[in-house]
Amino acid sequence: MNQHHHIENDDKYSGLTVNSGVTQPPSVNPYLKPRRRKPLPTSGELVEGILKGDVTILSRAVTLVESLSHEHQAIAQEVIEKCLPYSGNSRRIGITGVPGAGKSTSIDVFGLHILKDGGKLAVLAIDPSSERTKGSILGDKTRMERLAVHPSAFIRPSPSAGSLGGVARKTRETIVLCEAAGYNNIFVETVGVGQSETAVHSMVDFFLLIQLAGTGDELQGIKRGIMEMADGIVINKADGDNIGPAQLAQAQFRSALHLFPPTESGWKPEVLCYSGYYELGIAEVWDMIDRYFDFVRANGYFDEKRRRQARFWMYESIDEQLRKHFYDNPEVDALLRDNETEVLANRRSSFAAAAKVLDYYFRNKNNR
């Protein structure tokens, strides 16, 4: 029987007709033409576009900086070297706080406040990656609704991808590109889980800590390490019924700051209250930041800190390259697997295994 014949169409079933259906369309669009990949731009083309302030070219250069490809990294490093003479003319501000403190919402209103007076703003947001899937949401732009469409703002979220040291180095390189493109204000938003703050602190001029009140014992939020790094502390969501708890938290943080030794800059960190959602106290927060920059420029600490940071990142880059060279060595990789088996079988201590691998690496490295 014909497979398209329906028994219901037989004469004895008068009045009943079943259509045979339509031909199934192809699973692939026949009109779809294969897209040809654009050739990689040269370092000269990228630098020319960046210096003109071309956002598309800047984004492409940042993508090369973040890439793990050796070819992309070679181009990216050339671009960074050529852009370096045009960098350094911005105010770099690190912004951190626990998840839910309102960092992205605050950046939105802070950014709009400083852009009122002209200039350009780049926001570099480090987004946490899943340890299981290695994926990131990269949704910071959705909470910066007005800043995301502002013609003078550039927002670039980057995944931590399980390596905060690596992404921090790439963020510092991205800062150089953004400054060369004319962005005279740089915000670096941290993951906010206590691990990325040290790295971000080493690449910014001012470190702002956002805190909340009314979520329990405020002293739980007073951690010596992060408090000592902060140049300013702001209590968010100081509005409505939360004004009282915010002022209480402000007093507690001010008292805690007296217990810490004086800062290297000589600046005394201030504690302020504000509301990012209702845009209350934004001008006061920015006045504090302006006072800080006037203070450190006057006493010479601003330039000294920039020099220290450049030295720090030189040694960080050396450490990263040494680790990469070590783990990329196929002979070392085989020796590591053998020693790992011994360690897991409890036949060799972790320290003895590490010493054996390192001894082999340096002995053979010197013989080459």
Side-chain angles (χ1 to χ4, degrees), residues 40-54:
L40 279 175
T42 65
S43 60
E45 291 170 341
L46 289 169
V47 172
E48 182 182 0
I50 288 170
L51 296 181
K52 288 180 180 177
D54 188 319

Side-chain angles (χ1 to χ4, degrees), residues 194-211:
Q195 295 175 312
S196 60
E197 280 68 28
T198 302
V200 171
H201 181 261
S202 65
M203 68 177 78
V204 297
D205 306 312
F206 184 93
F207 200 63
L208 184 68
L209 173 61
I210 299 178
Q211 291 281 27

